Amino acid sequence: MANIQSLIILATSDIHGHIYPTNYRGNSNQPLGLAKLATIIEQEKQKSANTLLIDNGDIIQGSPLMYSYHHSTLSTNPIIEAMNQLSFDVGVLGNHEFNFGRSAIDKAVGASDFPWLSANVLDQASNQPIYGKPYVIKETDSGIKVAILGVTTHYIPNWEKPDHIKGVHFSDAFETTDYWVTFIREHEAVDVLIVSYHGGFERDLTTGEPTEKLTGENQGYRILTEIDGIDVLLTGHQHRKIAQIHTEKAVIQPGVNGESLGKVTLDLSKTNDTWTINHKHAELIPVTDETPVSNTISLIACEAHQQTDLWLDKPVGYVDGDLSVTNPFQLRLATHPLITFINTIQEDVAQVDISLTSLFHDQAPGFSGEVTMREIVSNYIFPNTLTVLELIGKDIRQALELSASYFKLDEEDHLTINPDFLYPKPAPYNYDMWSGIDYQLSISQPIGKRVTALYYQGQPIKEDDTFHVVMNNYRASGGGNFDMFKDKPVIKEIQTDMTELLVEYFTEHPVVVPQYKTNFTVTR
């Protein structure tokens, strides 16, 4: 009689440092975080002895708690401690693991009781994986041998500060996956092969049509459709919720901030010492308001959580007026005092008179009255530094045209958001608002011809005019498909985190009076 067993694969991805069920901007019982996920994980582990737990990357960055930790004197990383407690089998490097530099990764990896994987994050000198091995093999209690291959989006050099990835080579994720899947199938007698890829899908899973510019940032569709030998593909990076069977592979992407747990169930039978997969099922188990918090995990992070709350409630300045955000869509249609404020700080620090910034997310509250660190990190959610580039007028116009594609006209001829900025992942941070120049965007015009006015100091900007412009390091590297900024001369780099620059500005200007001026408008 055949031996029949089920193998359970539990997957997390893009938790972004969220342990407690809060984003630290409001409600402290939100449906997210590793402390709630832990309850579901423990429940699932009790159902089968053949269970693997895998994190797919972007774990040590992204929440006020982790920002506070990376700037604290705490000796242990709370989220790594939590992962150790939950007995993760492996972790895979995400792109945001590099945001605090390699020393932060070294500490996280060194404190982990589980191996980290990324077959394509290589030492430039030796061409060998820097952190751990390309893959590991796990054998379950029932004798099922499982290979887990870890791969990371190779697009990281397009976003990350050079100092943070010094000595690192990111080989092509697709080519690396293809090589190692073939190697494992030829040299390892495994029953199941899992690829955990910190990257997403560049094409629609149903139609195969491109859903983004094919830069190589996301190669999940190619991996899924062109590489044989994969049984399970775990993905992330795009913060989507995906659970399905595609080309006979189980596919998972479990969202963001610990809002759901990915689960793949493989039913196997053993005949003559050979395991055969008979059935695959993929699902997402959502975290809800009613999901209990794991007391064990919350205790592990308690000190860091309390320290974070104290740090966030520290007053840093005062706004004598209103820089609050009431309607993020309207904010993007004309100069808003909050955007003026951020651009003013960037110009002041960089000593230039042209700046650009985004409203990074639609939940940004803005500032009004007393300002604390909580407001700072709620508005500026990324660990960006600043870069001054030398641009010509043609570059500025092209960048404005790309931002203008954020808008479209609906059937009633009203301004609305272009779906390309909403799906497959909301990307409001790729719409920039400039200061130091005057411009007008007319959305009734074709994409690429929407900049209908463009001036600097009252004079039309010519294509070959030269300007020094300050922006965050992500945009300066061309992030968000701003290819016109790639490889431009770097005039200056300000290596201080933007949130720290905001605090410094309030320290020097304890009372900030908003500036109300209009240098751009968006019309139909």
Side-chain angles (χ1 to χ4, degrees):
M1 180 178 291
N3 181 3
I4 299 174
Q5 296 285 336
S6 290
L7 172 66
I8 308 297
I9 300 141
L10 303 176
T12 59
S13 189
D14 298 271
I15 289 178
H16 285 290
H18 289 82
I19 301 178
Y20 277 66
T22 179
N23 56 20
Y24 292 93
R25 295 194 292 270
N27 183 359
S28 61
N29 182 33
Q30 296 173 288
L32 55 83
L34 192 57
K36 284 199 170 193
L37 269 183
T39 300
I40 301 174
I41 289 170
E42 294 295 354
Q43 290 171 347
E44 291 297 321
K45 281 188 170 185
Q46 291 172 10
K47 297 178 182 178
S48 173
N50 300 320
T51 302
L52 295 172
L53 178 59
I54 300 169
D55 181 74
N56 190 53
D58 280 4
I59 187 79
I60 67 171
Q61 175 277 343
S63 70
L65 183 143
M66 290 309 297
Y67 186 92
S68 173
Y69 160 74
H70 286 295
H71 292 79
S72 76
T73 57
L74 289 177
S75 58
T76 55
N77 187 321
I79 204 152
I80 298 298
E81 282 193 272
M83 294 175 73
N84 288 341
Q85 178 65 36
L86 289 167
S87 299
F88 272 78
D89 288 286
V90 299
V92 173
L93 289 175
N95 55 294
H96 283 289
E97 258 66 73
F98 290 88
N99 283 170
F100 296 103
R102 287 186 56 186
S103 62
I105 305 177
D106 293 341
K107 287 176 64 177
V109 171
S112 301
D113 294 341
F114 52 88
W116 287 73
L117 307 176
S118 192
N120 65 321
V121 178
L122 309 176
D123 179 82
Q124 279 185 334
S126 67
N127 209 38
Q128 296 297 311
I130 291 179
Y131 298 103
K133 303 175 181 179
Y135 66 92
V136 294
I137 295 177
K138 296 281 185 176
E139 185 168 348
T140 72
D141 291 350
S142 299
I144 304 168
K145 291 184 68 175
V146 183
I148 307 169
L149 172 66
V151 190
T152 305
T153 175
H154 63 256
Y155 210 62
I156 292 173
N158 291 279
W159 309 308
E160 196 53 70
K161 289 182 278 189
D163 286 350
H164 287 179
I165 54 175
K166 188 175 182 179
V168 183
H169 170 65
F170 298 89
S171 64
D172 185 277
F174 173 83
E175 294 175 1
T176 301
T177 303
D178 193 21
Y179 172 83
W180 283 110
V181 167
T182 301
F183 179 92
I184 292 167
R185 286 301 188 187
E186 291 180 352
H187 295 88
E188 305 280 9
V190 297
D191 306 301
V192 177
L193 197 157
I194 301 168
V195 172
S196 186
Y197 167 51
H198 188 84
F201 296 98
E202 71 280 29
R203 294 179 181 272
D204 184 274
L205 287 174
T206 302
T207 66
E209 291 298 314
T211 54
E212 62 184 31
K213 188 176 180 180
L214 301 180
T215 62
E217 175 183 351
N218 297 298
Q219 297 175 297
Y221 189 85
R222 284 195 72 197
I223 292 171
L224 194 62
T225 58
E226 297 182 29
I227 300 178
D228 294 327
I230 299 171
D231 297 307
V232 178
L233 178 61
L234 309 178
T235 66
H237 186 55
Q238 292 172 315
H239 302 176
R240 298 167 66 185
K241 293 181 181 179
I242 300 171
Q244 64 183 74
I245 307 300
H246 192 287
T247 60
E248 299 184 357
K249 302 175 180 71
V251 181
I252 288 287
Q253 192 170 146
V256 64
N257 298 343
E259 61 189 358
S260 62
L261 178 69
K263 179 182 179 182
V264 174
T265 304
L266 304 180
D267 295 329
L268 302 96
S269 60
K270 185 178 182 182
T271 306
N272 298 326
D273 296 325
T274 300
W275 287 99
T276 301
I277 301 174
N278 300 315
H279 180 71
K280 300 172 183 174
H281 178 69
E283 62 183 301
L284 298 181
I285 305 173
V287 171
T288 68
D289 291 337
E290 288 71 38
T291 304
V293 169
S294 164
N295 290 330
T296 302
I297 300 303
S298 61
L299 283 172
I300 284 174
C302 183
E303 182 181 1
H305 175 67
Q306 291 175 344
Q307 175 181 277
T308 301
D309 262 334
L310 290 172
W311 174 70
L312 288 172
D313 288 333
K314 178 183 176 182
V316 297
Y318 188 87
V319 172
D320 185 10
D322 189 7
L323 295 178
S324 60
V325 178
T326 56
N327 186 322
F329 182 80
Q330 290 294 324
L331 175 145
R332 296 183 174 100
L333 298 180
T335 315
H336 188 280
L338 173 66
I339 301 303
T340 298
F341 174 62
I342 295 174
N343 274 325
T344 296
I345 293 174
Q346 293 186 172
E347 291 168 355
D348 185 66
V349 170
Q351 293 298 291
V352 299
D353 61 358
I354 301 178
S355 172
L356 60 96
T357 189
S358 302
L359 182 70
F360 296 109
H361 63 128
D362 285 356
Q363 291 73 45
F367 302 112
S368 183
E370 185 178 75
V371 177
T372 66
M373 282 302 304
R374 194 178 302 275
E375 281 78 43
I376 297 283
V377 299
S378 294
N379 284 285
Y380 210 107
I381 59 176
F382 299 115
N384 290 331
T385 57
L386 297 178
T387 302
V388 178
L389 297 183
E390 183 175 282
L391 304 178
I392 60 174
K394 181 180 179 181
D395 301 324
I396 293 175
R397 182 176 289 274
Q398 288 178 342
L400 289 171
E401 290 288 359
L402 184 56
S403 282
S405 69
Y406 180 84
F407 300 100
K408 62 171 291 189
L409 297 177
D410 64 16
E411 294 177 353
E412 298 179 350
D413 218 25
H414 296 150
L415 284 171
T416 187
I417 301 172
N418 183 341
D420 290 347
F421 285 79
L422 298 174
Y423 309 103
K425 174 184 176 180
Y429 47 81
N430 284 333
Y431 172 75
D432 292 327
M433 291 161 281
W434 294 58
S435 69
I437 59 174
D438 296 285
Y439 61 97
Q440 183 170 334
L441 307 179
S442 178
I443 309 308
S444 61
Q445 299 300 310
I447 288 179
K449 296 184 178 180
R450 291 177 167 180
V451 179
T452 54
L454 181 57
Y455 294 88
Y456 173 70
Q457 295 183 352
Q459 298 298 316
I461 291 178
K462 300 176 183 177
E463 282 203 347
D464 57 353
D465 288 345
T466 301
F467 305 91
H468 290 175
V469 182
V470 61
M471 63 193 77
N472 67 60
N473 62 295
Y474 170 78
R475 186 67 81 238
S477 68
N481 298 323
F482 282 77
D483 295 341
M484 71 291 299
F485 294 157
K486 282 186 177 181
D487 303 319
K488 293 298 178 181
V490 175
I491 303 303
K492 187 186 302 183
E493 291 181 299
I494 295 93
Q495 295 293 349
T496 305
D497 189 289
M498 187 61 189
T499 54
E500 294 180 39
L501 294 175
L502 283 161
V503 173
E504 288 179 8
Y505 189 87
F506 274 112
T507 300
E508 296 173 5
H509 309 83
V511 178
V512 170
V513 178
Q515 299 179 46
Y516 297 91
K517 60 182 181 180
T518 300
N519 71 294
F520 79 89
T521 56
V522 180
T523 64
R524 65 161 305 282

